[in-house]
């Protein structure tokens, strides 16, 4: 048994998520590590008034229901024991218009100005999040709070990226209201609580423009990135046409500036760009340089821009802050790398200690690539480290799109105060050799990822669901797996 255990441990391999920091012309190499092949980005908005639905694609309310209903059905329907959620995404069946503009549907969020700080990523995050709630709810979330109160220990002038945005929101560190933490004073008060809970984020596939458009149409603004020579609305660039508000870059530089896609025009003239692309077509995007830039803060980016749509993020499930009473987690820096056995399958688990008498209602984890299948287990009354046995399957299904998902358990699990319990997931991600998302401490990057804490978790990985390896001690990582409870 010991030999087999050592052999299994030896199979574990790590892949770190590699992205580029975006800080408005200050590119950062976030992690000098192996990049996962075709790492997906994010996704999601549909006009949501009754009349706008009819105008945009005919009266389909009876088929699709209210916002988010079709997405939830596709990805989590039948999650109970014996259930399956493998049917095709119903959103794929609807034809998209050749032109779509949030401004015409009351969906365009307010345009802010980042000033001289490297906070384009923070503005893009909040713009995308705010757009996912419009027009029913109008919010002004704080860019100061996300850039100063996240778990990465970086100054506002150091930039950031989408992994930081996901980690902050999924950990319920925010968002908070702008009025509670105004932008630009360099001060962020402690103790503020999130006014919304983000429970799902999708990452549309890189350069899959159909997926990006469907994300915008059905869910919300898509956060993406560009290479920009310009640093503010006063800057000039040969790649930007100030007369037509049109941008096109086709060089070798990597992304260094975050923006939000809020529409598109398949027939936007290629002649509007200073260097004409081969074909017509452009995305309508919101920038973070105030209303003096572009067309009241918006501009067009050619479909042929080399970077746009390469990394994408959309917020597909945003709930009220009372949806659960507690969140158990150890991955405050979120998805920084991936762990596995050189195979598309693996088990992973986190052991937590119930603070009160409560019920385990849901678990949240990442699908690190498309068409990820999962099974969820709960082990109650766990013993010493690594000594627990999985019970019956509590939920199962398949996620068609890369992202973070919260899965409700059809039958909540009763927990006693002080009880140690394990939330565990079996995952199958086709084509992957590192299917498990982890928060990883890379000693070479301690200056960037200053707050990765390996003392706050008890996470495990297993090849067979019986023999478990402690990831904090053996792999310098935390498992990205959260548990949500309601208290008695």
């Amino acid at each position: 048994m010991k030999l087999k255990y050592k052999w299994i441990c030896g199979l574990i391999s790590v892949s770190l998520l590699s992205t580029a920091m975006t800080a408005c012309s200050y590119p950062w190499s976030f992690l000098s590590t192996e990049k996962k092949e075709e790492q997906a980005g994010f996704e999601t908005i549909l006009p949501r008034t009754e009349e706008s639905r009819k105008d945009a694609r005919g009266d389909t309310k009876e088929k699709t229901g209210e916002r988010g209903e079709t997405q939830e059905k596709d990805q989590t329907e039948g999650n109970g024991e014996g259930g399956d959620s493998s049917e095709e995404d119903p959103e794929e069946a609807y034809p998209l218009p050749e032109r779509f503009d949030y401004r015409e549907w009351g969906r365009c969020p307010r345009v802010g100005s980042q000033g001289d700080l490297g906070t384009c990523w923070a503005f893009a995050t909040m713009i995308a999040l705010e757009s996912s709630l419009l027009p029913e709810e109008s919010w002004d979330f704080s860019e100061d709070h996300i850039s100063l109160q996240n778990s990465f220990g970086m100054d506002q002038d150091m930039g950031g990226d989408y992994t930081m945005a996901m980690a902050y929101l999924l950990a319920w560190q925010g968002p908070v209201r702008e009025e509670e933490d105004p932008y630009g004073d360099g001060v962020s008060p402690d103790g503020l609580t999130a006014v919304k809970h983000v429970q799902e984020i999708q990452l549309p596939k890189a350069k899959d423009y159909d997926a990006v458009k469907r994300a915008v149409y059905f869910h919300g603004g898509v956060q993406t990135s560009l290479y920009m020579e310009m640093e503010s609305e006063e800057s000039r660039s040969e790649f930007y046409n100030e007369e037509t508000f049109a941008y096109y870059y086709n060089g070798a530089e990597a992304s260094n500036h975050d923006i939000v896609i809020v529409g598109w025009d398949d027939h936007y003239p290629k002649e509007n760009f200073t260097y004409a692309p081969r074909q017509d077509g452009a995305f309508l995007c919101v920038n973070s340089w105030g209303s003096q830039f572009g067309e009241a803060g918006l501009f067009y980016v050619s479909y042929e821009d080399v970077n746009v749509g390469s990394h994408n993020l959309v917020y597909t499930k945003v709930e009220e802050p009372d949806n659960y009473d507690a969140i158990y987690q150890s991955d405050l820096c979120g998805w920084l790398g991936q762990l596995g056995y050189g195979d598309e399958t693996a088990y992973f688990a986190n052991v937590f200690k119930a603070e009160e008498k409560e019920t385990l209602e849901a678990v949240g984890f990442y699908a690190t690539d498309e068409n990820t299948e999962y099974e969820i287990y709960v082990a109650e009354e766990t013993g010493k480290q690594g000594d627990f046995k999985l019970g019956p399957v509590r939920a199962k299904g398949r996620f068609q799109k890369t992202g973070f998902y919260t899965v409700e358990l059809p039958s909540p699990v009763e927990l006693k105060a002080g009880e140690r319990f394990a939330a565990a997931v079996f995952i199958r991600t086709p084509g992957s050799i590192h299917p498990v998302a982890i928060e990883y401490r890379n000693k070479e990057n301690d200056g960037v990822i200053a707050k990765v804490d390996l003392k706050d978790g008890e996470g495990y990985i297993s090849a067979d669901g019986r023999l478990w390896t402690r990831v904090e001690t053996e792999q310098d990582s935390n498992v990205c797996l959260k548990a949500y409870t309601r208290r008695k």
Side-chain angles (χ1 to χ4, degrees):
M1 211 48 156
K2 291 183 179 179
L3 288 176
K4 185 176 182 182
Y5 180 77
K6 290 181 180 179
W7 177 70
I8 290 175
C9 289
L11 285 177
I12 297 177
S13 56
V14 178
S15 172
L16 298 189
L17 193 64
S18 175
T19 66
M21 301 290 261
T22 52
C24 306
S25 298
Y26 309 120
W28 282 78
S29 177
F30 185 39
L31 293 172
S32 56
T33 57
E34 174 188 356
K35 181 176 181 180
K36 188 176 184 295
E37 196 71 19
E38 293 186 356
Q39 182 65 53
F42 321 137
E43 165 187 306
T44 126
I45 272 181
L46 164 128
R48 283 177 289 190
T49 65
E50 180 63 24
E51 186 163 350
S52 66
R53 282 196 184 95
K54 293 178 183 179
D55 290 344
R57 65 180 195 203
D59 187 4
T60 58
K61 181 179 179 182
E62 184 174 337
K63 293 183 180 179
T64 63
E66 297 299 329
R67 178 178 66 92
E69 195 171 307
T70 58
Q71 192 70 31
E72 182 176 343
K73 178 179 178 181
D74 175 58
Q75 294 174 336
T76 60
E77 181 181 66
N79 277 334
E81 186 172 353
D84 187 11
S85 60
S86 58
E87 59 188 71
E88 293 303 312
D89 186 348
E91 292 177 4
E92 300 295 329
Y94 297 110
L96 294 172
E98 296 179 346
R99 180 184 174 277
F100 187 62
D101 186 335
Y102 268 13
R103 294 173 296 185
E104 299 171 2
W105 301 97
R107 300 299 311 280
C108 195
R110 56 103 179 107
V111 176
S113 176
Q114 67 187 80
D116 60 357
L117 297 175
T119 51
C120 61
W121 69 278
F123 275 83
T125 299
M126 293 312 172
I127 289 169
L129 184 60
E130 290 163 6
S131 75
S132 72
L133 298 169
L134 287 167
E136 292 89 347
E137 299 180 51
S138 179
W139 290 84
D140 187 3
F141 295 131
S142 170
E143 291 83 11
D144 230 39
H145 196 265
I146 186 175
S147 55
L148 290 172
Q149 294 284 357
N150 60 70
S151 294
F152 288 77
M154 297 172 62
D155 295 333
Q156 286 181 309
D157 59 357
M158 293 178 69
D161 75 347
Y162 68 86
T163 58
M164 295 170 63
M166 289 195 296
Y168 165 86
L169 292 170
L170 293 173
W172 294 359
Q173 293 172 327
V176 305
R177 299 174 186 270
E178 172 70 15
E179 62 190 35
E180 295 179 295
D181 190 353
Y183 181 73
D185 58 4
V187 177
S188 182
D190 295 328
L192 299 180
T193 58
V195 295
K196 289 287 184 179
H197 284 169
V198 174
Q199 299 295 149
E200 182 178 297
I201 300 174
Q202 292 183 6
L203 312 174
K205 190 175 180 180
K207 288 296 184 179
D208 186 341
Y209 288 174
D210 183 74
V212 170
K213 290 177 181 178
R214 291 184 186 280
V216 173
Y217 191 70
F218 285 99
H219 301 285
V222 169
Q223 187 173 338
T224 189
S225 56
L226 303 173
Y227 169 71
M228 276 279 192
E229 289 181 322
M230 298 181 287
E231 298 180 9
S232 70
E233 71 278 4
E234 298 175 353
S235 302
R236 300 293 180 267
S237 170
E238 62 180 309
F239 306 111
Y240 178 62
N241 187 331
E242 298 178 44
E243 301 298 322
T244 56
F245 320 119
Y247 186 85
Y248 168 52
Y249 176 74
N250 196 32
E253 298 291 342
S255 299
N256 63 359
H257 183 65
D258 278 10
I259 57 172
V260 179
I261 298 173
V262 294
W264 67 84
D265 185 348
D266 291 344
H267 302 291
Y268 188 82
K270 61 184 179 181
E271 291 78 15
N272 282 358
F273 300 96
T274 53
Y275 296 102
R278 292 167 298 176
Q279 297 178 345
D280 294 340
F283 288 114
L284 176 66
C285 303
V286 179
N287 205 353
S288 54
W289 295 345
S291 60
Q292 298 304 308
F293 173 80
E295 190 174 1
L298 283 73
F299 68 119
Y300 289 90
V301 178
S302 169
Y303 287 160
E304 294 184 25
D305 183 275
V306 69
N307 290 310
V308 72
S310 294
H311 296 287
N312 312 291
L313 180 153
V314 65
Y315 302 100
T316 48
K317 186 176 289 185
V318 183
E319 299 182 350
E320 296 304 311
D322 61 353
N323 58 346
Y324 303 104
D325 293 326
I327 180 173
Y328 290 88
Q329 58 185 336
S330 60
D331 59 324
L332 297 182
C333 288
W335 178 15
L336 299 181
Q338 293 170 218
L339 198 62
Y341 292 89
D343 185 71
E344 63 186 24
T345 67
Y347 290 81
F348 58 102
N350 261 341
V351 175
F352 303 109
K353 185 177 181 180
E355 296 177 355
E356 300 181 14
K357 184 178 180 181
E358 48 198 317
T359 56
L360 177 61
E361 302 282 337
V363 298
F365 55 95
Y366 291 91
T368 56
D369 212 332
E370 297 179 323
N371 296 311
T372 291
E373 300 174 14
Y374 66 87
E375 295 176 351
I376 296 174
Y377 303 84
V378 178
E380 302 174 68
E381 297 288 358
T382 66
K384 60 183 180 180
Q385 291 188 8
D387 182 18
F388 56 87
K389 295 182 179 180
L390 303 182
V393 176
R394 301 281 181 169
K396 68 178 182 178
R398 176 169 63 92
F399 300 126
Q400 290 191 347
K401 300 179 178 107
T402 306
F404 180 92
Y405 296 90
T406 300
V407 180
E408 292 272 356
L409 302 183
S411 299
V413 179
E414 299 285 339
L415 301 172
K416 297 187 284 285
E419 176 183 352
R420 281 166 49 85
F421 67 96
V425 177
F426 167 76
I427 202 165
R428 182 190 300 276
T429 303
S432 177
I433 59 173
H434 311 105
V436 180
I438 57 170
E439 176 193 58
Y440 187 79
R441 175 182 287 173
N442 185 345
K443 295 179 180 179
E444 296 179 1
N445 291 287
D446 280 346
V448 175
I449 309 170
K451 297 184 180 180
V452 172
D453 185 359
L454 299 181
K455 298 179 181 178
D456 64 349
E458 186 181 334
Y460 298 90
I461 187 171
S462 173
D464 59 5
R466 293 179 294 131
L467 301 175
W468 297 88
T469 298
R470 179 77 183 272
V471 297
E472 287 86 2
T473 56
E474 301 299 324
Q475 297 295 326
D476 292 327
S477 62
N478 288 317
V479 169
C480 295
L481 176 60
K482 304 178 189 291
Y484 307 93
T485 66
R486 291 191 177 95
R487 291 173 171 170
K488 301 292 187 178

